[in-house]
Amino acid sequence: MFRSDFAGVSAAGASSGTGNLRLVSEAENGNGRGLIHVGLFYQDLNDLAKASRMFVEEGLESDEPVLIAQPPAQLNRLRDELPAQRDVTYVDMTIAGRNPGRILPWVLHDFVLRNAARRVRIIGEPIWPNRSALAYPACVQHEGLINVALGQVDAAVLCPYDIARLPPHAIDDSHLTHPLIQYACGPVRRNREYTPQALARVLDQPLEPPPPGARTTRFSWTDLLSVREQVAERAIAAGLVPSQVAAAKLAVSEAATNAVRHGGGYGTLSIWSEPEYLVLDVHSPLPMRNPLAGRLQPLADSVSGRGLALINHVCDLVRLHATARLGTNVRMWMHTAAVFV
């Protein structure tokens, strides 16, 4: 299905690619203001470079700063393709986005805040060939949350997908998270597969229960110090370096504090090892009320809402799941080799 759609892009469509983006944005958002979120499907770096260049140049012509956050191969190709520009920022997604939960608050929203008075353009590629299968559900959830977290932001976000090398399910899922789609340099068009119901399914990414061998401890306010000590002990035993041990303690401390403060006064900590990872899971019996918790960068004068954003910042992978029946789980992975892609 997707390959035939891709092959059917006409030369005439290719010549007017980003002009179509402007026309669609105006049709969707009145005067082209608000969030424009496009899934871009490309077959090779040439396709990616052509579509991205038009997207970037149209933005620069309109005095819109541009953020390009991609894996190194794609990033380097676009850096070579585009002339040096003061208003173009490059970010290695394999580093900044190693935890998909980090991308919204610490990459995208950070860029929006730093350019608060201007409309921005963003190219973000969080799902690439060989991206960890463990991280994939969080990547899909991230793509869906862009529509919610940045829904009122004046921005155009282009999300490239390598249609030649990604598995079919990644392309299928991308159609559920992007209101607009584009094949190579072809026209941008509305995506009929993107619906509120489909988006809700994407955002609900259940977690498997802790394995039988997990060490599980129930805690309340008076136990938070012992919880941190337990985490430090297990992190050191797992071979984490001192900075990771400190990060693991901070992350669990924030999650446990949130559990007792907002989750009924107590929670449960489960710790176990997987190949190459130490896994820390904090459960509270009440569901989290704010689906955007931790997905936006806390403001400098904010007195709350920092916990999950900090957890996303310091952990190699974070997944969160909340339901009225099961409560809330904040699951954190720390890579024992200090590398995670």
Side-chain angles (χ1 to χ4, degrees):
M1 169 184 176
F2 302 117
R3 288 179 183 271
S4 63
D5 280 353
F6 197 115
V9 172
S10 67
S15 68
S16 58
T18 51
N20 280 285
L21 177 60
R22 180 176 286 128
L23 291 173
V24 170
S25 70
E26 291 173 357
E28 294 283 337
N29 294 334
N31 294 319
R33 316 308 288 177
L35 176 67
I36 305 298
H37 188 200
V38 183
L40 169 69
F41 304 113
Y42 68 94
Q43 282 191 315
D44 55 37
L45 291 182
N46 290 329
D47 285 335
L48 173 65
K50 290 175 184 176
S52 299
R53 179 167 188 148
M54 288 191 290
F55 178 81
V56 170
E57 288 179 346
E58 184 179 279
L60 295 176
E61 289 172 4
S62 301
D63 194 34
E64 298 170 2
V66 177
L67 170 68
I68 301 176
Q70 293 187 281
Q74 294 90 321
L75 193 72
N76 292 334
R77 176 59 188 270
L78 294 192
R79 199 191 295 266
D80 292 340
E81 181 78 15
L82 297 168
Q85 295 280 355
R86 176 176 55 85
D87 270 347
V88 179
T89 301
Y90 296 91
V91 172
D92 185 342
M93 187 67 95
T94 64
I95 297 174
R98 71 186 188 280
N99 168 25
R102 190 180 187 277
I103 302 170
L104 262 169
W106 300 108
V107 181
L108 306 192
H109 192 221
D110 177 74
F111 187 70
V112 168
L113 292 176
R114 286 190 283 110
N115 296 279
R118 305 166 70 186
R119 179 171 177 81
V120 301
R121 292 209 171 203
I122 296 169
I123 299 176
E125 189 167 357
I127 300 174
W128 56 85
N130 301 320
R131 175 67 137 152
S132 165
L134 185 62
Y136 178 76
C139 293
V140 177
Q141 189 178 59
H142 156 77
E143 287 280 59
L145 281 170
I146 287 177
N147 303 290
V148 183
L150 302 183
Q152 302 304 312
V153 169
D154 203 12
V157 180
L158 189 70
C159 300
Y161 283 79
D162 186 339
I163 200 169
R165 296 195 296 154
L166 285 171
H169 71 265
I171 308 304
D172 291 341
D173 288 340
S174 71
H175 280 68
L176 307 180
T177 56
H178 293 84
L180 303 169
I181 56 174
Q182 179 183 15
Y183 289 89
C185 297
V188 176
R189 61 175 184 257
R190 294 182 187 88
N191 172 23
R192 293 190 178 123
E193 294 182 64
Y194 175 83
T195 66
Q197 295 78 13
L199 184 61
R201 290 196 302 272
V202 166
L203 297 181
D204 183 22
Q205 297 282 342
L207 293 163
E208 294 292 329
R215 178 178 173 180
T216 299
T217 306
R218 182 179 163 121
F219 60 83
S220 62
W221 276 115
T222 58
D223 303 310
L224 293 181
L225 176 59
S226 64
V227 163
R228 289 191 289 269
E229 291 174 345
Q230 183 183 150
V231 169
E233 177 186 338
R234 288 296 299 269
I236 292 169
L240 272 62
V241 300
S243 62
Q244 290 180 294
V245 174
K249 287 174 61 180
L250 172 64
V252 170
S253 179
E254 292 289 344
T257 300
N258 281 343
V260 296
R261 179 176 292 159
H262 306 294
Y266 68 94
T268 302
L269 168 67
S270 297
I271 307 177
W272 67 93
S273 292
E274 295 177 357
E276 301 183 351
Y277 308 105
L278 178 69
V279 188
L280 309 155
D281 182 280
V282 174
H283 174 263
S284 57
L286 298 181
M288 184 182 65
R289 292 188 177 92
N290 181 7
L292 293 180
R295 298 295 183 162
L296 296 174
Q297 189 175 128
L299 300 178
D301 59 353
S302 174
V303 295
S304 63
R306 295 178 174 274
L308 281 169
L310 285 172
I311 290 169
N312 275 316
H313 186 65
V314 303
C315 293
D316 291 309
L317 174 63
V318 178
R319 290 187 57 194
L320 188 149
H321 188 247
T323 67
R325 183 173 65 88
L326 298 176
T328 301
N329 281 82
V330 180
R331 188 163 297 179
M332 300 151 279
W333 282 260
M334 302 297 296
H335 200 293
T336 54
V339 175
F340 189 90
V341 296

